[in-house]
Amino acid sequence: MGVHSSPPFNAPAARRLRAALGMAPGHVAYGLRAQYGLIVAPETVMAWERGEISPTSAELTALAGVLWCAPGELLAEPVTLREHRLARGMSSEELSRRIGLEENAYQKMEDTGRWKGNERQSVALATTLGLTLAQFVAATGKREELAELLRSAVTTRWQAYVKPLSKLLPVPREQLERVVERLYVEYQSRMAATLSWGGGIGEAGTGDSGREYLAEIVDRFWAIAGGAR
């Protein structure tokens, strides 16, 4: 595994969990060495808890073991594929096996932040990591692609965009059709209102209403699809 940035460490949670066990930073440092062979000074444990530095992936996994918690309890809200995997306490080898990918291929996608799996693998990824639709799109680096497809769908013929959207998202086609059609109707209704007001002064008259809707279309999609976090 190559060099990676540290996962988003939840410093207050680490301090709270240690205190709940009645342990001092020195006890944690001893546990890391005795149980996992990691040489970590008590001062380093204190620096983690103050948020000054973050533990590496190996240190985070070991710290979770010493504090009797899941790795996910020591992470802030995960965003990337790697962060979600770490939150589940899974190795890249285990995750790649469960979604049907070679580990090297999966690792490259995780490193670059660009998911290239097929529809079946996407469903397996979302299921294995317990991702909501919104989390899946953020973790796989596809938010902007989703926004572009949705903007095109509501401003032209929405039916033409159901197929590319179904390739992007692990969602049944029938559900996608309902959501995209509703987005189309909402957007077209706004534009019809703009025209009926004759392009006069005001938000709708200047077309701001339509532009605002397009700018927020991904959030609106989550709200309708029930995938908003």
Side-chain angles (χ1 to χ4, degrees):
M1 205 165 168
V3 176
H4 300 282
S5 59
S6 296
F9 185 63
N10 190 336
R15 183 183 178 87
R16 187 174 64 249
L17 287 161
R18 173 180 62 75
L21 292 169
M23 299 172 74
H27 295 139
V28 175
Y30 176 80
L32 290 171
R33 181 171 187 167
Q35 297 174 46
Y36 298 94
L38 295 175
I39 310 301
V40 175
E43 292 76 17
T44 300
V45 175
M46 293 166 68
W48 289 345
E49 293 183 358
R50 288 194 296 264
E52 295 171 359
I53 56 175
S54 294
T56 64
S57 297
E59 289 168 342
L60 179 113
T61 302
L63 181 61
V66 172
L67 296 178
W68 292 83
C69 69
E73 294 179 65
L74 294 174
L75 290 173
E77 186 68 25
V79 176
T80 66
L81 273 180
R82 177 168 172 268
E83 290 164 8
H84 281 288
R85 175 175 62 75
L86 287 171
R88 292 274 165 176
M90 298 178 71
S91 66
S92 57
E93 179 185 10
E94 181 185 358
L95 179 57
S96 56
R97 178 172 48 77
R98 290 176 65 171
I99 59 181
L101 273 170
E102 290 290 326
E103 186 182 1
N104 285 345
Y106 168 77
Q107 193 63 65
K108 185 174 182 181
M109 295 180 206
E110 185 178 284
D111 291 345
T112 59
R114 294 298 297 173
W115 172 251
K116 298 181 184 298
N118 59 33
E119 291 175 54
R120 180 185 57 77
Q121 291 163 338
S122 293
V123 171
L125 178 74
T127 302
T128 304
L129 293 179
L131 304 177
T132 64
L133 267 179
Q135 288 173 327
F136 174 84
V137 169
T140 55
K142 296 185 181 295
R143 183 182 169 89
E144 192 47 48
E145 187 178 347
L146 173 62
E148 285 296 327
L149 285 172
L150 291 175
R151 283 193 284 263
S152 296
V154 300
T155 54
T156 56
R157 282 184 65 254
W158 67 265
Q159 295 91 339
Y161 292 89
V162 173
K163 186 173 182 179
L165 281 166
S166 67
K167 288 186 176 180
L168 191 71
L169 301 168
V171 181
R173 188 176 177 124
E174 303 74 33
Q175 182 184 348
L176 267 178
E177 287 177 347
R178 289 194 298 272
V179 176
V180 177
E181 183 178 15
R182 183 168 164 189
L183 287 171
Y184 174 85
V185 170
E186 286 183 354
Y187 176 75
Q188 294 299 327
S189 295
R190 284 198 178 206
M191 299 313 291
T194 299
L195 293 172
S196 70
W197 289 337
I201 298 171
E203 183 183 279
T206 60
D208 286 350
S209 179
R211 281 195 292 273
E212 181 183 295
Y213 188 87
L214 292 178
E216 299 173 354
I217 197 162
V218 173
D219 292 331
R220 186 67 191 132
F221 177 83
W222 298 138
I224 297 174
R229 286 191 290 170

